Amino acid sequence: MTDSSNIDALARKLAQLLSTPETRELRSSNDANDLVDQTAAWAVGLWKKTETDLHLMCFGCANGFDAQVADEFQAATLKVPLEQTQLGIVNAVVNQRPALARVEEQSGDLRKSAGWLERFGARCSLSCPISNQNDQIVGVLAVSWAEAWQLENEVPQNLLSLADKISKNL
């Protein structure tokens, strides 16, 4: 992540997106590009939680990401039932903690995420729940990276920090 004023502005924008009653996807390519840049992502998404589902609000990917895979992923995750806990985004929301998925864990708890990571050409992903001021989870921010990060590494820690800044703006 880079300039803290850019990160703060992005956190405010994403918090605003999660605060709206609508669940339609954000189409601004500038916001998606900023999110990719600020998170050093291969791919990144923001989902809003409803009673029964997660709704994709924003998705972006780095240059070189397969456009067909991006389209298929967006179509598959426009609305995700909260029962699909093998996906990191759902797992993070349901268990109320970050979920780190790895491409090599094809039969693990996050096997659906591992399958998408393989299709992405990514090594790992981190899904971070976002809470409002009442500690209710209202969304999830997820990033996949081409690198195999550990949770304690700087890049995932920066993502956790961004998720926290979004929560503080709700």
Side-chain angles (χ1 to χ4, degrees), residues 48-55 79-84 90 93-94:
K48 183 175 184 171
K49 180 185 176 284
T50 64
E51 286 289 317
T52 58
D53 304 291
L54 295 176
H55 293 262
K79 184 177 177 185
V80 182
L82 292 176
E83 291 85 34
Q84 290 193 19
V90 175
V93 167
V94 170

Side-chain angles (χ1 to χ4, degrees), residues 70-137:
D71 289 344
E72 290 171 3
F73 179 76
Q74 288 178 84
T77 64
L78 278 175
K79 184 177 177 185
V80 182
L82 292 176
E83 291 85 34
Q84 290 193 19
T85 56
Q86 302 88 8
L87 283 171
I89 56 173
V90 175
N91 191 287
V93 167
V94 170
N95 293 310
Q96 301 181 13
R97 65 173 186 259
L100 182 67
R102 302 193 173 286
V103 69
E104 65 271 9
E105 296 172 356
Q106 294 290 324
S107 62
D109 288 345
L110 300 176
R111 59 189 165 275
K112 285 188 177 180
S113 283
W116 278 111
L117 289 172
E118 186 171 36
R119 293 192 63 203
F120 285 5
R123 300 288 308 279
C124 69
S125 67
L126 181 60
S127 300
C128 304
I130 297 172
S131 302
N132 64 17
Q133 298 303 313
N134 298 323
D135 287 328
Q136 296 172 316
I137 294 180

Side-chain angles (χ1 to χ4, degrees), residues 126-165:
L126 181 60
S127 300
C128 304
I130 297 172
S131 302
N132 64 17
Q133 298 303 313
N134 298 323
D135 287 328
Q136 296 172 316
I137 294 180
V138 296
V140 61
L141 177 64
V143 172
S144 69
W145 294 288
E147 301 84 3
W149 297 111
Q150 299 296 323
L151 193 56
E152 63 273 4
N153 294 136
E154 182 180 3
V155 171
Q157 286 298 310
N158 287 339
L159 179 65
L160 291 167
S161 176
L162 175 58
D164 186 54
K165 286 179 188 227

Side-chain angles (χ1 to χ4, degrees), residues 27-38:
R27 295 286 179 186
S28 168
S29 61
N30 287 341
D31 290 335
N33 290 340
D34 285 349
L35 195 50
V36 169
D37 291 344
Q38 294 295 329

